[in-house]
Amino acid sequence: MSSINLDSVTEALQNARVSPSGVSFAGRSLKLDTEEDAKPVVEEIDKCRELQYLNLEGNTLGVDASKAIAKALERHPEFKKALWKDMFTGRMKTEIPKALEYLGHGLVTAGARLTELDLSDNAFGPIGVQGLAALLRSSSCYALEELRLNNNGLGITGGKLLASALTDCYNKSKEEGKPLALKVFIAGRNRLENDGATALAEVFKMIGTLEEIAMPQNGIYHVGITALSQAFTHNKNLQVLNLNDNTIGPKGAEAIAGALPNLQNLKEINFGDCLLKTRGAILLANGLKATHLDLEEVVLGFNEIRKQGALQLAVAVANKTKLKSLVLDGNQFGENGRAELKQKLKELGKLNTLGSLEDDESEDSEEEEGGDTEESDTDSDQGVNITEIETESPMPEEATVSVEQFIEAPNAKNFFNKSEVDDFVAVLMKVAGLSTDKDAAVAESALKCTELLYKDLFIWSQQEDKTTIVNNSILVNLGLIKTKKYKPAWNVESCLHALDNILKKNYVPESTKLTLKIFMQREIDRHGEFLEIKKRMLSSLT
């Protein structure tokens, strides 16, 4: 271990928060490779007489460091909360399962009984669940109340492995006389799809004690939504339900509406960006209208809902005295529909709950299409994380590169010395936006420059294990992932054209190709903009 590394650990230690009930090194950006690197953390664990929690968020642990920390945890049977999100940045996927095995073994050896396990924002994929499974099956998780696995790249395989481990945990804990009574389950941004969601639905049925379920951005269609809806009915104390950015559609909405009579304790529902359409909105409105008096927040934005659906939703919330927020932005009410909706809510005394409608579209004059879109069966799980995440600084600080130097050598290495992934991708998009310029010389130069930038970006991302971050940034900057109040400022069609030009290059990562394939198919199913180029891109990716 270098002295520089030890100095950084020692300095961060000065700001580490230690309390009688736990230890936190959250956000210290420590890189702990060896057992020696982990020594300051181990010392603080040993000093804490009543170690209820250990927060290591925002640091990065190697196998040997994890082994040392696990050894220290063996001496704390009172341990309750493992707050270990964003803990493996830059680590190889083969390292993470071993690190998790050590940490889990430490808790099992101690005889700890966890109440909370948070491993969010660790992109360990299905292989990571294998390392986690032993802990989930052990007595250390029999009393677990909160399980947070957001943005882990689980995929279908990981979802099934997780469901299997939780099933074993439930059955074993039940044999001891006190079955697993999980209250919070968070697993957004994991590409669970129908099969992964269906496997977890069986677990939810068994448990029956869930109060919060959040599974946004998982590529779940009505088949998976129907399975989940049936499971929800067994969890009558469910209060928070978030299925944002899945494709619920009218068929899925019908299944959820059928479950609603059993869910009278709901406080928050989020079905934003779920392609509900007007029919789905009306089905939900009918399911909520008579009861559900505890509702505080209803999110149904970006669902292609038209005026009639909006008006029925307004009537449905009329008796909700606790309602604080009704989100219906990004639908298709049109100017007259927006005015009628506001008037109706005003008459009902609920206008103050309505959020902004600034992204509402004009009402489409064509008939609304029936049925649901369904994802291709060929989009099998490969553990890809395809959702928006916050980017971190991609490289450690080095000597600043001047603008002149960057222009002279516009590669990823030079650019990353002075900016972050999103900044680089934004510049790339601006260049790519000129790739179809009327001036042939400009278009040709822009296309060549774009190809060089993409090449360096992809090569760098694979070397630094940042491909997931790069994929997400590309999706956001192409408008394929929606973010609040963000719209690309460049010619997106030209950017798509430039990207299509390089899709068959061998330096484009397979995970990038799979991610783009899934989103191109979704865009085509949803009849979004620039369909011809998106169909061409999908053809290139197939």
Side-chain angles (χ1 to χ4, degrees):
M1 182 193 68
S2 68
S3 60
I4 294 177
N5 191 25
L6 179 58
D7 289 343
S8 66
V9 174
T10 304
E11 180 182 352
L13 181 60
Q14 305 302 317
N15 295 318
R17 180 165 59 87
V18 182
S19 77
S21 61
V23 173
S24 175
F25 281 81
R28 301 305 169 192
S29 300
L30 300 179
K31 186 178 182 183
L32 307 178
D33 295 321
T34 66
E35 291 189 29
E36 184 67 18
D37 293 341
K39 190 174 180 180
V41 179
V42 170
E43 288 176 350
E44 294 307 314
I45 291 174
D46 289 341
K47 288 179 186 178
C48 189
R49 293 182 180 179
E50 188 72 16
L51 187 74
Q52 296 283 332
Y53 68 85
L54 174 62
N55 190 337
L56 295 174
E57 176 184 354
N59 301 289
T60 177
L61 274 64
V63 174
D64 290 338
S66 298
K67 182 178 180 181
I69 292 171
K71 196 70 177 176
L73 290 173
E74 289 180 8
R75 297 184 284 274
H76 290 280
E78 75 281 5
F79 190 74
K80 300 292 184 187
K81 298 184 178 183
L83 308 178
W84 297 340
K85 64 187 295 186
D86 188 19
M87 200 172 67
F88 296 111
T89 299
R91 300 292 171 182
M92 300 294 291
K93 286 189 176 181
T94 51
E95 290 181 88
I96 299 174
K98 196 65 180 176
L100 289 172
E101 284 177 15
Y102 276 127
L103 291 167
H105 180 71
L107 297 179
V108 174
T109 302
R113 293 278 179 144
L114 290 179
T115 59
E116 182 177 354
L117 176 59
D118 188 351
L119 284 165
S120 298
D121 299 326
N122 292 303
F124 47 59
I127 193 173
V129 182
Q130 294 175 13
L132 182 62
L135 173 61
L136 290 174
R137 287 187 167 97
S138 75
S139 59
S140 289
C141 286
Y142 289 178
L144 196 63
E145 295 180 356
E146 299 182 27
L147 180 58
R148 302 175 187 273
L149 296 171
N150 201 59
N151 191 32
N152 294 132
L154 300 180
I156 295 172
T157 301
K160 289 181 176 180
L161 289 170
L162 176 61
S164 175
L166 289 173
T167 298
D168 289 345
C169 180
Y170 178 83
N171 289 331
K172 290 178 181 179
S173 61
K174 187 177 181 180
E175 289 174 3
E176 285 199 358
K178 192 174 182 180
L180 174 67
L182 199 64
K183 293 181 180 179
V184 177
F185 180 85
I186 310 293
R189 304 177 178 181
N190 274 305
R191 205 65 202 177
L192 295 168
E193 302 183 27
N194 288 336
D195 289 348
T198 300
L200 287 167
E202 292 303 311
V203 179
F204 299 164
K205 281 183 184 179
M206 286 190 306
I207 292 175
T209 56
L210 286 160
E211 297 176 6
E212 178 177 355
I213 297 176
M215 300 174 69
Q217 297 180 353
N218 268 300
I220 306 170
Y221 285 70
H222 70 85
V223 173
I225 296 296
T226 299
L228 287 171
S229 297
Q230 293 168 356
F232 296 156
T233 64
H234 294 263
N235 293 266
K236 298 185 185 299
N237 198 35
L238 192 62
Q239 297 172 36
V240 179
L241 180 56
N242 181 354
L243 296 175
N244 185 283
D245 201 10
N246 291 290
T247 307
I248 293 176
K251 287 184 181 178
E254 184 175 6
I256 293 173
L260 286 176
N262 297 285
L263 304 176
Q264 294 299 325
N265 292 307
L266 278 174
K267 293 182 179 179
E268 300 176 19
I269 57 174
N270 186 339
F271 303 148
D273 198 15
C274 285
L275 206 64
L276 293 172
K277 296 183 176 289
T278 305
R279 185 160 68 90
I282 292 173
L283 286 166
L284 291 176
N286 290 336
L288 294 170
K289 185 164 28 180
T291 51
H292 299 87
L293 302 181
D294 288 333
L295 269 179
E296 297 176 4
E297 182 175 357
V298 177
V299 179
L300 297 172
F302 296 93
N303 270 302
E304 298 185 15
I305 302 169
R306 301 183 188 175
K307 180 180 69 173
Q308 190 57 39
L311 294 175
Q312 294 213 29
L313 286 168
V315 172
V317 301
N319 61 343
K320 310 298 187 283
T321 58
K322 298 179 181 179
L323 190 69
K324 299 175 183 176
S325 177
L326 176 62
V327 178
L328 295 174
D329 198 15
N331 284 297
Q332 298 175 352
F333 306 151
E335 185 175 351
N336 292 335
R338 291 194 294 274
E340 287 187 46
L341 172 61
K342 290 179 180 179
Q343 180 59 36
K344 173 61 71 174
L345 288 170
K346 184 177 180 180
E347 293 172 2
L348 298 170
K350 296 295 180 184
L351 183 58
N352 63 312
T353 68
L354 182 64
S356 168
L357 295 177
E358 62 182 33
D359 287 331
D360 183 70
E361 301 175 9
S362 296
E363 188 171 21
D364 194 340
S365 60
E366 297 180 4
E367 289 295 320
E368 189 173 273
E369 295 185 8
D372 289 46
T373 56
E374 185 59 90
E375 187 170 335
S376 169
D377 292 334
T378 61
D379 292 335
S380 60
D381 161 56
Q382 296 189 25
V384 180
N385 181 352
I386 57 171
T387 55
E388 179 194 3
I389 57 176
E390 293 182 0
T391 58
E392 58 185 309
S393 182
M395 294 183 70
E397 290 187 7
E398 299 178 9
T400 302
V401 177
S402 68
V403 174
E404 290 77 12
Q405 287 172 312
F406 173 69
I407 296 299
E408 182 69 23
N411 57 50
K413 180 180 178 182
N414 280 344
F415 196 88
F416 283 128
N417 279 322
K418 65 193 298 297
S419 190
E420 297 185 355
V421 173
D422 283 340
D423 297 323
F424 182 85
V425 174
V427 169
L428 189 157
M429 295 294 167
K430 290 178 181 178
V431 175
L434 298 173
S435 63
T436 57
D437 194 86
K438 292 181 180 179
D439 188 322
V442 171
E444 183 179 359
S445 296
L447 200 58
K448 288 181 179 178
C449 185
T450 302
E451 182 174 346
L452 290 173
L453 290 171
Y454 266 125
K455 182 177 181 179
D456 280 317
L457 177 63
F458 287 136
I459 290 173
W460 171 86
S461 71
Q462 293 177 90
Q463 290 174 342
E464 298 295 324
D465 196 22
K466 303 289 186 182
T467 304
T468 295
I469 292 175
V470 167
N471 289 347
N472 282 290
S473 185
I474 290 171
L475 293 173
V476 171
N477 283 282
L478 287 175
L480 298 174
I481 286 179
K482 298 181 180 69
T483 60
K484 291 182 179 179
K485 299 184 179 180
Y486 173 81
K487 291 184 179 179
W490 32 81
N491 187 323
V492 172
E493 187 172 14
S494 295
C495 292
L496 291 168
H497 169 77
L499 180 55
D500 182 47
N501 188 58
I502 63 146
L503 285 179
K504 294 188 181 297
K505 303 290 186 181
N506 58 12
Y507 54 76
V508 181
E510 287 303 314
S511 67
T512 302
K513 293 178 181 178
L514 176 60
T515 298
L516 288 168
K517 179 181 176 182
I518 292 170
F519 272 84
M520 289 303 112
Q521 184 63 62
R522 188 179 77 164
E523 286 292 298
I524 292 168
D525 290 342
R526 294 186 177 188
H527 306 287
E529 297 179 305
F530 317 125
L531 281 180
E532 289 305 314
I533 179 61
K534 288 173 182 174
K535 287 179 181 178
R536 190 160 72 246
M537 290 178 72
L538 183 60
S539 177
S540 299
L541 291 161
T542 302

